[in-house]
């Protein structure tokens, strides 16, 4: 079964850092581009970042450029999101998702909640 | 980076058909056939139900269908069922930004 499982979320103070992980199983991670998408409480989905299959091409949404870093370790079937200089408006559930046909996302992980608060 | 525009809520009775719109511009919805739709039940992860405007992934009910006209894409749910009650989001490729989601629509089954 294809599965993505995020971890690493939690409560962090403004200005702090957190690293999210996304463990992939049931498929070969190295064959796929991967994404991070976030959803603030009660709000809609927002795309955060994308990384190609070997990590050589990375793109970020403007609002995280310079603060977040996406990476992957295909040997360990794991995707990462390093988040620095966190702000209150970064509070959200963060989902990892596999790239799919026609600029779509499928499947998605269950999400991990990041709360930025003092 | 504005989101695509969806109605906040749509409702219908069991067995009826409903349609959710997703309005963008020629830089996203209108310019490319890269519109996808996602279903999200409360507390759950989104699930892809339509990609490339009108294609259904394997395993998705044929009660879900997608279309596009100009800058507006649409998702139609026919034979509405209680299990269809969820939030629905459209998404599209957008020039420069790459990915943009819609504002989301809450579907209520009366």
């Amino acid at each position: 079964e294809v599965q993505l499982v995020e971890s690493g979320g939690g409560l962090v103070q403004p200005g702090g850092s957190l690293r999210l992980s996304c463990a992939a199983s049931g498929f070969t991670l190295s064959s796929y581009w991967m994404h991070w998408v976030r959803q603030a409480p009660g709000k809609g989905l927002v795309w955060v970042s994308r990384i190609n299959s070997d990590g050589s091409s990375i793109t970020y949404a403007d609002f995280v450029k310079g603060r977040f870093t996406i990476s992957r370790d295909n040997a360990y079937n794991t995707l990462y999101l390093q988040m620095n200089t966190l702000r209150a408006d970064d509070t959200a559930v963060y989902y990892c998702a596999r790239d799919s046909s026609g600029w779509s996302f499928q499947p998605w992980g269950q999400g991990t909640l990041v709360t930025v608060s003092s | 980076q504005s989101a695509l525009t969806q109605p906040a809520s749509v409702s219908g009775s069991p067995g009826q058909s409903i349609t959710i719109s997703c309005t963008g511009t020629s830089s996203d919805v209108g310019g490319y056939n890269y519109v996808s739709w996602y279903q999200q039940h409360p507390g759950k992860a989104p699930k892809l139900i339509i990609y490339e405007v009108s294609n259904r992934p394997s395993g998705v009910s044929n009660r879900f269908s997608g279309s596009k006209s100009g800058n507006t894409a649409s998702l139609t749910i026919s034979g509405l069922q209680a299990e269809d009650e969820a939030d629905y989001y459209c998404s599209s490729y957008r020039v420069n930004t790459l990915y943009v989601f819609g504002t989301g629509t809450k579907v209520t089954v009366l």
Side-chain angles (χ1 to χ4, degrees), chain A residues 106, chain B residues 37-39 47-51 54-66 75-77 83-84 88:
Chain A
Q106 182 68 9
Chain B
W37 289 90
Y38 302 86
Q39 177 191 61
K47 172 189 172 185
L48 177 68
I49 55 174
I50 295 287
Y51 66 97
S54 60
N55 294 313
R56 275 188 312 275
S58 174
V60 173
S61 171
N62 59 9
R63 297 187 298 104
F64 294 94
S65 61
L75 172 72
T76 297
I77 308 175
E83 67 204 49
D84 300 330
Y88 291 82

Side-chain angles (χ1 to χ4, degrees), chain A residues 33 35 37 39 43-47 50 59-63 95 99-111, chain B residues 1 33-36 38 40 43-48 50-52 57 87 89 91-93 97-103:
Chain A
W33 294 47
H35 302 264
V37 178
Q39 185 172 34
K43 302 295 185 182
L45 301 168
V46 179
W47 176 78
R50 175 186 75 176
T59 312
Y60 298 100
D62 285 345
F63 58 86
Y95 296 100
D99 191 73
S100 192
S101 302
W103 294 75
S104 66
F105 313 90
Q106 182 68 9
W108 300 58
Q110 87 288 352
Chain B
Q1 296 184 2
N33 288 326
Y34 292 138
V35 176
S36 50
Y38 302 86
Q40 185 180 34
K44 300 296 186 181
K47 172 189 172 185
L48 177 68
I50 295 287
Y51 66 97
E52 291 175 345
D87 293 327
Y89 293 91
S91 177
S92 173
Y93 166 79
T97 307
L98 298 186
Y99 302 90
V100 59
F101 285 95
T103 50

Side-chain angles (χ1 to χ4, degrees), chain A residues 66-105:
Chain A
R67 299 190 302 125
F68 289 13
T69 302
I70 189 173
S71 63
R72 63 194 298 159
D73 189 334
N74 289 335
Y76 287 92
N77 285 328
T78 304
L79 174 73
Y80 301 101
L81 186 67
Q82 176 68 43
M83 304 186 295
N84 299 329
T85 319
L86 283 161
R87 312 185 300 224
D89 62 359
D90 293 319
T91 293
V93 173
Y94 284 75
Y95 296 100
C96 63
R98 193 176 75 177
D99 191 73
S100 192
S101 302
W103 294 75
S104 66
F105 313 90

